[in-house]
Amino acid sequence: MSSRFDGKIALITGSSRGIGKALALTLARQGATLVINYKKNEEAARQTVAEIEALGAGASSVQADIEEPAQIDRLFEQVLHRHGRLDIFVSNAAASSFKSILDLKPHNLDRSFNLNVRAFVLGAQRAVALMRDGGRIAVISSYGSIRAYPTYSNLGSAKAAIEAWVRYMAVEFAPYGINVNAVNGGIIETESSAFFYNVAGMPPLSKVLPKVPAARMGTAQEIADAVAFLLGPESSYITGQTLIVDGGLSVVAPPFFDDATPPLALPRRNAEEPSASRV
């Protein structure tokens, strides 16, 4: 194992699967001790802990629904009880309702805000109290924070709020030796994106991916690697920033190169399959 995170205690919310799990394994390979948070799937959390332990790192799991402030308190109390401190906090858990704006109900707005924004802010407050010798805080955002597309208004606006909170936290937490950053992911191959692209009426990936300059989905590991960089010693002078990891998606706009004809058309790559080869 690498030693970049030797001796570090890391808590990642929603880390029994997807990006959170990929990040947990990445930090474990580099020496960190992990606290795996999950909402319901105890078996998935147990499997993640087992995989981390197989790497020779330490890990434990805590069930907590971070939509509930009392359970956030309990999550951090468990961290304090088990480890006495915290070095890394990553707010990864997210969920929302995918509907057009006119179809959103008050409970849709409340639940999306509570799980994505409030949980991040309350979690960061509690993390700072345990980071007695400085630390790192990171949060997972998405390109819906800066671009508009079907059914994503509720979650995208929450992600935009998260990125604003990152900037404010970076300033206020700097005197404590704590850096705060975000990673903004594009179209990433996870269970969440599979669910999103199955929403009724959503354009298929075969039409979407050719618009991405990289012409493919990103991987959970690519997001995990970007987050790990922001958590590591190399990023000590980076704070209050949002690192975009989207294969160039956020820099293109209509008229798209994919829709152009010769002599302006770019060479086509196969982007029909979500698992198109990396370049």
Side-chain angles (χ1 to χ4, degrees), residues 43-84:
E43 178 56 34
R46 186 182 297 113
Q47 176 62 32
T48 300
V49 169
E51 291 180 38
I52 291 170
E53 291 177 339
L55 295 171
S60 61
S61 64
V62 180
Q63 187 280 327
D65 180 357
I66 62 169
E67 193 176 335
E68 302 295 334
Q71 295 200 36
I72 294 175
D73 288 340
R74 183 169 58 80
L75 171 62
F76 282 88
E77 287 167 3
Q78 285 294 310
V79 174
L80 177 61
H81 174 72
R82 296 177 187 184
H83 302 287

Side-chain angles (χ1 to χ4, degrees), residues 5-13 15 20 23-28 31-37 52 58-62 75-76 79 83 85-91 127 131 136 227 231:
F5 298 107
D6 269 0
K8 302 297 183 183
I9 308 299
L11 165 64
I12 307 170
T13 64
S15 47
L23 177 59
L25 291 169
T26 298
L27 298 184
T33 296
L34 273 298
V35 178
I36 302 300
N37 161 247
I52 291 170
S60 61
S61 64
V62 180
L75 171 62
F76 282 88
V79 174
H83 302 287
R85 72 176 204 283
L86 186 64
D87 303 296
I88 293 168
F89 169 56
V90 180
S91 182
M131 292 178 173
R136 295 283 197 276
V227 178
L231 299 176

Side-chain angles (χ1 to χ4, degrees), residues 139-176:
V139 61
I140 306 301
S141 185
S142 75
Y143 79 106
S145 69
I146 55 175
R147 296 290 185 269
Y149 49 91
T151 78
Y152 209 78
S153 58
N154 199 13
L155 185 53
S157 59
K159 295 296 190 182
I162 283 168
E163 293 178 13
W165 277 103
V166 162
R167 294 188 289 273
Y168 280 95
M169 288 179 185
V171 175
E172 293 197 24
F173 298 168
Y176 303 100

Side-chain angles (χ1 to χ4, degrees), residues 119-144:
F120 172 47
V121 178
L122 296 181
Q125 289 175 334
R126 284 148 183 76
V128 169
L130 299 183
M131 292 178 173
R132 302 185 183 96
D133 298 313
R136 295 283 197 276
I137 295 175
V139 61
I140 306 301
S141 185
S142 75
Y143 79 106

